[in-house]
Amino acid sequence: MPSLIEFPEPQSDTPSPKSRAGLCLLTKRAEFIAASRAKKQGTKSMMVQGRPRQDDAPLRVGFTCSKKVGNAVARNRAKRRLREAARLILPEHGNIGWDYVLIGRNDHTAARDFEDLQRDLIYALRKLHSH
RNA sequence: ACAGAGGGCUGGAUGGCCGCGCACUGGGGGCUUGCCCCCCACGCGAGGAAAGUCCGGACUCCAUGAAGCAACGGUGCCGGGUAACGCCCGGGCAGGGCGACCUGACGGAGAGCGCCACAGAAAACAGACCGCCCAGAUCAGGCAGGCUUAGGCUGGUUUGAAACUGGGUAAGGGUGAAACGGUGGAGUAAGAGCCCACCGCGUCGCUGGCAACAGGGACGGCACGGCAAGCCCCACCGGGAGCAAUGCCAAAUAGGACCCCCGCGCGGGCAGGUCGGGCAACCGAUACCGCCGCUAGGUACGCUUCAACCAAGAGGGGUCGGGUUGGCAGCUAGAGGCGUCUGGUAACAGGCGUCGCAGAUGAAUGGUCAUCCAUCCCUUCGGGGAGGACAAGAUCCGGCUUAUAGGCCCUCUGUGCAA
RNA sequence: GCGGGUAUGGUGAAAUGGUAUCAUAAGAGCCUUCCAAGCUUAAGGCGCGGGUUCGAUUCCCGCUACCCGCU
């Protein structure tokens, strides 16, 4: 029923209600662009972008794989591995009120050992928070 | 055994723990009792090509329907299958292979236009550059005769000739992708379908076949080069756009500005008439009649014709500007899969039974562990290590094309060996 | 996802089925005291694979890469 659905205020800082795997997801292109203009930290297996939002809402995360990663099979696999790593790491190491974007890289995101992938994410988050 | 040909199937397997999407079957809980929300269990959860978007449809809108013409695009041996097709099956013909078998845009060049570079005599109504042959003239030589004192002159016959003139001929000619039927004989001055035999070609009957076509006969007497994936002709097919179609809800904005257009008639003006007001000039109303101006539409599209409908209205069109990028429906039961029977050579069709089989939208299948399977590497033969083809739905279906590690099954061909 | 288009020297562009032209850049030489301009000169190419044709940059089919439009 439309009358019962509370429409969110049209302010860009309010988190979008979409969630999956226990994490709030970024869905709008403008949110991705805002994150890309903030801090970034590259590792061997991924690029991580982070942006503090100045509110107390839960942290949000988005995943991106461009055509450089490969065909659709390679892109989907890279995003799944990034999503699994985010599910395990972010609730513990992420900060409330931040937006994160994880970007897959050619070959290494799909081929790197999963424990190394998790260590890469923890390292990148620590660097982003400290700067 | 080796080498091959055709067809079909499969596309790593099993389990444990954590995690994801959908559905709403069951259970539990929450309150704002809604067919709402949360949790748990169960169920389902990428492909043979999901791909390329090359064809054909379903469906939706443009735009309610019908017919014809033109243009444009496509298809192109024959018959059948199909909702339809450029697809499939069967047959014919042509080419390739010892063979199983494979390949083929495979209508028309006798409707017309165009092109055929270079080379070559000539590239398309044929003609004749070289050559070959005949005749003539000229020149030279041999031989015989006549005249003459030796020399020499004359004319007959024959032979030859680089070049000349007039005819005959198209057999031969470095070429070229392609050269005016081919081979053999007869014939001739030389030659020639000029004639003959066979082959090819053309025309007309006959026989078989639904047909494409095949077989055989008679006649003709060589005419008719190639290219239509050049234009074109013939036959058939096609209105356009696409699920980001389309419909609805919510939100937001300026329910915005300017310009143009509209028939039965409309609008304006003038004069008169009529009515009303006014002392009057004049003002207002009316539209039966007269004159002036504007106009002959839209749905329909390149053109023509027709039926029907709409046509001064919240009208149509154009330019500029502003707002939104949320949600729901479409959205998965369909020319559906599997099994079996019947008809058919087959593609396929029909009957019966049975199954319920993804519906996401920054977009769901992942992480990890163990065992097995295929492959590769190392090896002290105990084992150890690496590691899984091409590639993932996005409205749905029928095809085609392209990519694809390997594994399995069936049928057939050739060669060799054995019995 | 759906639809449309392009590919020619390093770069930007032309072309009737007969080995491809122009501009510019880069190389060498001349000119100049030197540079620029100018002049001369050589090299360098039809995205890939099939087919039609005697012959393909051109015609047809299939791939590859790139670009554009539609919510």
Side-chain angles (χ1 to χ4, degrees):
Chain A
M1 285 290 103
S3 62
L4 293 173
I5 295 174
E6 289 293 324
F7 276 88
E9 293 299 312
Q11 299 168 3
S12 63
D13 284 345
T14 305
S16 53
K18 180 75 181 177
S19 75
R20 176 173 290 150
L23 297 167
C24 285
L25 292 182
L26 293 177
T27 58
K28 295 209 169 54
R29 178 167 174 77
E31 296 166 349
F32 278 82
I33 292 172
S36 73
R37 294 201 177 118
K39 303 171 186 171
K40 63 183 68 172
Q41 176 63 46
T43 69
K44 186 175 176 61
S45 59
M46 71 187 81
M47 170 77 76
V48 181
Q49 297 168 340
R51 181 176 73 103
R53 280 196 321 264
Q54 277 94 29
D55 60 24
D56 292 335
L59 66 85
R60 299 185 302 174
V61 64
F63 305 92
T64 292
C65 283
S66 76
K67 254 184 180 174
K68 276 188 268 186
V69 174
N71 57 24
V73 175
R75 292 200 301 271
N76 279 345
R77 178 164 171 78
K79 277 201 276 190
R80 285 189 200 118
R81 286 175 66 95
L82 291 177
R83 191 179 296 122
E84 180 71 9
R87 184 179 69 88
L88 295 172
I89 300 300
L90 278 182
E92 192 174 348
H93 294 83
N95 281 358
I96 286 183
W98 280 56
D99 284 347
Y100 300 100
V101 173
L102 275 59
I103 302 173
R105 313 193 80 163
N106 191 12
D107 295 335
H108 294 104
T109 305
R112 192 157 171 82
D113 193 83
F114 193 70
E115 302 222 346
D116 292 338
L117 194 74
Q118 291 173 289
R119 274 196 281 279
D120 285 345
L121 181 55
I122 293 170
Y123 167 79
L125 289 176
R126 199 168 59 238
K127 296 280 278 187
L128 285 175
H129 294 154
S130 63
H131 283 291

